[in-house]
């Protein structure tokens, strides 16, 4: 398993396509931050736009899964590894675990781009507590890992990397619609809802009368990281990751690999 994982790591690090795409996504996150942030600071922008942190990273997750797991079905790499003496369990879990680790880490790093760029250019502001937001962003690694594990299973069903990559657009654009249909925005067992839960803040507003400006509205947000949020995110993710990976292995173990 170690040799296969090293090989995958080498391929990812030396993949010009992935490197260029990742740089493109960093640039998109920077552009999004600059277009949506004003003098109120980046904390105000993040409080009012909860999808800024996690929507683009979901797409990079799908692309990485498609490359690491889906490309095997095109070039028959898994067949060669099995014929060279590796067990199906080794082949599957080496690729699945590398996909989960690499994609979740890279996606989480992307989530910090708005914080870094926005703070440097516009300042932090006073709408959210900085340490709370850092903790929430770090917790995003768990739903990203869960989403990756789910896409790994789908990959071994459809056996097409391009379908998986395209599914990233569907997940990114359809997450909000799905939330409206189901209506449970704080469900930690669904990765997209969990991301939204981590990036959403309870807020309230009041107003005051100014002799010059007229009605002036004030907004306040609560970014406190509760124990239920942390435990729900961590345990739900671990349970679902284990479930997805063993489901994927059950499919791969019985696959004829034509």
């Amino acid at each position: 398993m170690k040799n296969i994982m090293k090989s995958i790591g080498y391929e990812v690090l030396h993949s010009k396509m992935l490197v260029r795409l990742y740089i493109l996504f960093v640039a998109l996150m920077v552009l999004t931050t600059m277009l949506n942030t004003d003098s109120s600071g980046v904390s105000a922008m993040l409080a009012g736009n909860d999808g800024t942190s996690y929507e683009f990273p979901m797409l990079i997750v799908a692309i990485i899964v498609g490359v690491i797991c889906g490309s095997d079905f095109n070039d028959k790499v898994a067949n060669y590894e099995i014929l060279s003496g590796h067990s199906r369990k080794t082949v599957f879990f080496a690729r699945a675990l590398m996909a989960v680790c690499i994609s979740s880490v890279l996606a989480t790093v992307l989530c910090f781009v708005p914080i870094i760029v926005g703070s440097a250019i516009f300042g932090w502001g006073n709408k959210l507590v900085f340490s709370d937001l850092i903790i929430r962003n770090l917790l995003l690694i768990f739903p990203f890992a869960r989403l990756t594990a789910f896409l790994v299973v789908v990959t071994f069903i459809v056996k097409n990397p391009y379908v998986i990559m395209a599914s990233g657009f569907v997940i990114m654009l359809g997450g909000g619609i799905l939330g409206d249909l189901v209506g449970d925005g704080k469900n930690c067992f669904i990765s997209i809802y969990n991301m939204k839960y981590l990036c959403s803040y309870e807020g309230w507003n009041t107003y005051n009368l100014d002799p010059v400006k007229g009605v002036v509205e004030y907004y306040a947000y609560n970014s406190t990281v509760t124990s239920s949020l942390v435990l729900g995110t961590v345990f739900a993710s671990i349970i679902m990751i284990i479930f997805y990976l063993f489901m994927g292995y059950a499919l791969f173990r019985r696959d004829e690999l034509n």
Side-chain angles (χ1 to χ4, degrees):
M1 180 182 290
K2 186 183 296 185
N3 291 334
I4 297 176
M5 295 177 78
K6 286 182 179 179
S7 175
I8 295 170
Y10 180 85
E11 291 175 4
V12 171
L13 287 174
H14 292 80
S15 172
K16 292 182 179 180
M17 182 194 74
L18 283 180
V19 172
R20 289 170 181 170
L21 281 174
Y22 196 75
I23 293 174
L24 173 61
F25 277 103
V26 171
L28 288 173
M29 295 287 283
V30 171
L31 180 61
T32 301
T33 302
M34 295 184 67
L35 291 176
N36 289 281
T37 308
D38 56 24
S39 58
S40 299
V42 70
S43 64
M45 185 276 290
L46 292 172
N49 300 274
D50 55 23
T52 302
S53 295
Y54 65 85
E55 286 181 349
F56 280 126
M58 286 194 292
L59 183 53
I60 200 68
V61 165
I63 293 172
I64 293 174
V65 173
V67 171
I68 293 178
C69 298
S71 59
D72 293 354
F73 295 104
N74 286 343
D75 53 29
K76 307 296 182 182
V77 170
N79 302 49
Y80 303 144
E81 290 170 344
I82 291 173
L83 290 174
S84 63
H86 296 287
S87 67
R88 290 200 176 208
K89 180 184 292 187
T90 298
V91 172
F92 173 80
F93 282 105
R95 295 193 170 274
L97 291 175
M98 285 298 287
V100 170
C101 293
I102 293 174
S103 63
S104 58
V105 169
L106 292 181
T108 304
V109 170
L110 273 182
C111 297
F112 283 90
V113 172
I115 296 176
I116 297 170
V117 174
S119 297
I121 299 176
F122 302 96
W124 176 249
N126 58 4
K127 299 301 182 183
L128 301 172
V129 179
F130 181 77
S131 59
D132 289 346
L133 201 71
I134 295 299
I135 295 172
R136 286 172 177 264
N137 271 24
L138 289 173
L139 286 172
L140 282 170
I141 195 171
F142 291 99
F144 278 133
R146 190 191 328 167
L147 177 62
T148 304
F150 169 74
L151 290 175
V152 168
V153 177
V154 177
T155 303
F156 281 90
I157 294 174
V158 301
K159 300 180 181 180
N160 189 312
Y162 304 109
V163 172
I164 300 303
M165 294 177 188
S167 72
F169 285 100
V170 177
I171 294 171
M172 183 180 70
L173 298 176
I177 298 175
L178 181 63
D180 293 336
L181 291 176
V182 180
D184 188 2
K186 293 186 177 181
N187 189 333
C188 286
F189 280 91
I190 300 176
S191 58
I192 298 176
Y193 290 162
N194 201 168
M195 294 175 200
K196 185 176 179 62
Y197 189 12
L198 286 168
C199 296
S200 298
Y201 310 94
E202 294 182 357
W204 60 93
N205 69 298
T206 185
Y207 67 91
N208 196 4
L209 296 177
D210 186 275
V212 178
K213 299 180 180 179
V215 178
V216 180
E217 294 190 356
Y218 298 93
Y219 295 88
Y221 298 91
N222 179 16
S223 61
T224 303
V225 181
T226 63
S227 57
S228 61
L229 176 61
V230 175
L231 294 177
T233 297
V234 173
F235 285 111
S237 297
I238 292 174
I239 291 171
M240 296 308 297
I241 289 169
I242 293 173
F243 172 74
Y244 287 139
L245 291 184
F246 277 95
M247 179 188 295
Y249 171 63
L251 293 171
F252 183 68
R253 186 178 59 179
R254 295 172 174 80
D255 200 311
E256 296 181 358
L257 296 178
N258 294 325

